[in-house]
């Protein structure tokens, strides 16, 4: 069993690029700006480049449990900003 944080909600306003991410087990949300993002044909977010770090130095994966189902999750990297790539949909 892994100890990765689990994303329970991602909200992106495409016009303003305001992003809110909520993690399981936390009542607070993390707010950031999406400097860049990509969606697949179904409208699912597959890539995010955020204006700040939202991950901890030891974290390389966020698991996702969105809309009551498990999603593969995101690889996460960066030292000044956080960059998230959907694990199932690599470019």
């Amino acid at each position: 069993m892994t100890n990765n944080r689990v994303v329970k909600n991602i909200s992106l306003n495409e016009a303003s690029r305001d992003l809110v991410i909520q993690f399981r087990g936390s009542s607070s949300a993390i707010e950031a700006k999406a400097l860049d993002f990509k969606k697949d044909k179904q409208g699912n977010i597959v890539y995010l480049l955020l204006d700040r770090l939202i991950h901890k130095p030891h974290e390389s994966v966020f698991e996702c449990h969105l809309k009551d189902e498990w999603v593969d999750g995101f690889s996460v990297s960066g030292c000044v900003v956080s960059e998230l790539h959907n694990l199932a949909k690599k470019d």
Side-chain angles (χ1 to χ4, degrees):
M1 186 77 181
T2 61
N3 291 330
N4 299 325
R5 282 196 287 170
V6 177
V7 176
K8 68 179 182 180
N9 189 37
I10 299 174
S11 174
L12 174 64
N13 179 319
E14 293 184 35
S16 67
R17 295 185 178 231
D18 291 329
L19 178 85
V20 178
I21 294 182
Q22 293 177 300
F23 289 96
R24 180 181 276 176
S26 176
S27 59
S28 60
I30 295 174
E31 297 179 13
K33 283 280 190 188
L35 301 175
D36 192 15
F37 67 91
K38 294 178 186 168
K39 291 186 167 189
D40 63 13
K41 292 178 182 176
Q42 292 77 36
N44 300 309
I45 297 170
V46 295
Y47 173 79
L48 287 166
L49 178 63
L50 305 180
D51 68 342
R52 64 187 192 90
L53 286 176
I54 66 161
H55 68 285
K56 298 171 184 165
H58 68 278
E59 292 180 308
S60 61
V61 172
F62 289 155
E63 295 180 21
C64 294
H65 189 243
L66 306 172
K67 300 176 186 170
D68 296 325
E69 68 179 59
W70 281 100
V71 181
D72 290 312
F74 291 95
S75 65
V76 59
S77 61
C79 59
V80 177
V81 298
S82 284
E83 187 171 22
L84 289 77
H85 289 271
N86 185 289
L87 292 172
K89 298 176 173 100
K90 295 266 184 183
D91 288 334

